Amino acid sequence: MSHHLQRRLTSRLITFMALGMAIGAGLFLGSANSIQMAGPSVVFAYLFGGLMIFIIMRALGEMAVHDPVAGSFSSYAHRYLGPFAGYLTGWNYWLLMVGVGMAESTAVGVYMKQWLLETWHLDWPQWIWVFGSAAMIGALNLMAVRVYGEMEFWFTMIKVVTVVLMILGGAAMIWFGWGNGGHPVGFSNLWSHGGWFPKGFEGMVLALPIVVFAFGGIETIGMAAGEAANPERNIPRAVNSVLWRIMIFYVGALLVIMAIYPWDQLGTQGSPFVTTFAKLGIHQAAAVINFVVITAALSGFNSTMFSGSRMLYSLSHKGQAPALLGKVNEHGVPTRSVLACLACMIIGVLLNYLVPGRIFAMMMSILSFNTVWTWSMVLIAHFSFRRRFGKTKFPLRVWPLSSAVCLAFLMFVLVMLGYSPDTRVALYVGAAWVLLLSVAYWGFGIGRRMSVAADASMV
């Protein structure tokens, strides 16, 4: 076995990997929740949240172009903030990927069970579909990285086409009255039910944490840097293009939905996507969206397996995980790291057998801390990076003000996690996990080994 990844990912594949993580079931089924919290002003929340995420991605992209390594933000935290920071960041992100993978595989199980029950009256256990999805995604990730990237491209393409069709169909309803008896709907619903801010400015602010986590997974661009072909060209292309595409999909879809339906009625009749397609004459709209949501969950699961295994690979090369996880096969795939992540997914299968109704919400609620940690470490490491190297080939604009504003925003999101009883558990679990990692770092001698490890060993 070799020790080196192969650079097989093009700009197209990297872009769609990030899109695949960020456009998920939350848009198709959960968009009504953020609308109910803020009303039409949720659009402004998405625009502001998107700007903050763009700053994070440009900071990550600048470091990735300068130094395209496996492990991304963990390696940058290690190099620019010290081994302990890199260790905590790497294992926090690995836990995030495993947890999100469990949640996404659970979503596959939930919707497959529901689909079969409604369509063919088959009541198969949820855990069977979770196990099947884990086996399929594990097999995909054991193939050459180009195969993984192509599959993720087609998974994501299904979601993108669905959103574009919904926006175009909704626009035809708004301007030409298609599906509405020939009577144009217009845009008046956006301001006729309490104005743009029916819940006040506070409603928009309270929706910001939900909105920000909708963009979770876009940092996959950084994880792919170690396997990107021509990273100096492809990483900037992916960073600059992926965010505006996500903004079009999220903001465009929400504007169309809230123009067609009064915002305070959304969520009372299921997914807004299902209702819109049904009005346009697609009688199997529910089945179509079920298929798309299952594809969205498989896409997210696919990306988490990729990112989690690459993080283990990187940690092993810094002496922060077992060395055997740093080997790759003849196709440049870290097979042992993939198998280790897959083994952890079996815990998700077990939980789906024991508590099938609770696991999705449980996993998503406790992982918010890890997301904020990862994004914060990107910005803090970037501060040190810029002080060391100055402006590089792909610089973050308006630095350091842009980074400072974005970091303050992430601290606000962290405060909001503690403010809500539903998400407060994320802080408790996150603090316990950091404490456990710290004890392991010093108790098992990882810190001592790292003190003699040379930066040249980083990959």
Side-chain angles (χ1 to χ4, degrees), residues 106-457:
T106 298
V108 173
V110 169
Y111 292 114
M112 282 300 298
K113 177 180 171 67
Q114 176 183 323
W115 197 6
L116 263 72
L117 191 60
E118 292 175 352
T119 308
W120 292 288
H121 307 291
L122 296 175
D123 190 13
W124 288 17
Q126 183 173 307
W127 70 268
I128 290 178
W129 300 109
V130 177
F131 179 80
S133 66
M136 183 184 79
I137 296 302
L140 277 177
N141 276 265
L142 288 170
M143 298 180 186
V145 69
R146 177 82 187 195
V147 176
Y148 156 81
E150 288 291 348
M151 284 302 302
E152 187 58 28
F153 172 82
W154 290 109
F155 276 148
T156 303
M157 183 61 75
I158 292 171
K159 295 184 286 187
V160 168
V161 168
T162 303
V163 176
V164 170
L165 288 177
M166 203 284 298
I167 292 174
L168 293 177
M173 195 183 301
I174 292 168
W175 278 306
F176 306 113
W178 290 7
N180 197 49
H183 303 291
V185 175
F187 290 95
S188 61
N189 276 328
L190 289 172
W191 55 80
S192 297
H193 302 273
W196 281 95
F197 292 84
K199 298 291 186 76
F201 186 75
E202 181 185 5
M204 187 196 75
V205 171
L206 291 175
L208 278 171
I210 298 174
V211 166
V212 167
F213 292 122
F215 294 101
I218 195 173
E219 71 280 345
T220 304
I221 289 176
M223 292 303 302
E227 292 165 269
N230 194 352
E232 284 194 13
R233 182 190 67 184
N234 289 330
I235 295 298
R237 282 184 179 178
V239 168
N240 285 333
S241 67
V242 73
L243 192 77
W244 68 259
R245 293 180 185 183
I246 290 174
M247 293 296 286
I248 288 174
F249 297 145
Y250 272 94
V251 175
L254 291 176
L255 278 174
V256 166
I257 287 169
M258 289 186 293
I260 295 174
Y261 311 103
W263 70 268
D264 51 358
Q265 294 180 18
L266 289 169
T268 61
Q269 299 176 334
S271 167
F273 278 75
V274 173
T275 310
T276 303
F277 281 128
K279 288 193 73 170
L280 289 167
I282 302 176
H283 302 297
Q284 298 297 323
V288 170
I289 295 302
N290 247 336
F291 170 73
V292 172
V293 169
I294 290 167
T295 305
L298 285 171
S299 170
F301 190 13
N302 197 29
S303 289
T304 59
M305 186 73 77
F306 172 85
S307 297
S309 62
R310 270 50 179 185
M311 186 57 77
L312 281 183
Y313 168 86
S314 175
L315 287 167
S316 73
H317 278 263
K318 296 193 289 288
Q320 297 172 343
L324 59 88
L325 297 175
K327 303 287 183 66
V328 301
N329 64 13
E330 64 272 17
H331 301 296
V333 177
T335 51
R336 294 175 181 177
S337 290
V338 171
L339 291 172
C341 291
L342 187 58
C344 292
M345 297 302 168
I346 301 302
I347 299 173
V349 177
L350 179 62
L351 289 172
N352 271 278
Y353 177 77
L354 297 174
V355 286
R358 295 172 52 199
I359 177 173
F360 185 85
M362 180 174 65
M363 293 307 303
M364 295 311 293
S365 66
I366 67 176
L367 295 171
S368 305
F369 172 88
N370 305 72
T371 303
V372 175
W373 178 288
T374 298
W375 290 345
S376 299
M377 293 307 293
V378 168
L379 293 171
I380 296 170
H382 182 258
F383 265 105
S384 179
F385 168 85
R386 281 292 290 264
R387 286 208 307 266
R388 182 181 299 188
F389 296 105
K391 185 182 291 189
T392 60
K393 294 180 180 178
F394 185 54
L396 169 63
R397 306 296 182 186
V398 201
W399 183 88
L401 179 62
S402 55
S403 284
V405 170
C406 190
L407 196 58
F409 173 70
L410 290 178
M411 294 306 101
F412 164 76
V413 171
L414 205 60
V415 170
M416 293 303 296
L417 288 177
Y419 176 78
S420 172
D422 295 334
T423 55
R424 198 172 296 153
V425 64
L427 299 184
Y428 300 145
V429 174
W433 176 244
V434 169
L435 178 61
L436 179 64
L437 288 174
S438 301
V439 170
Y441 186 82
W442 302 112
F444 291 101
I446 297 174
R448 290 192 298 274
R449 290 198 301 273
M450 289 309 303
S451 66
V452 297
D455 279 345
S457 67

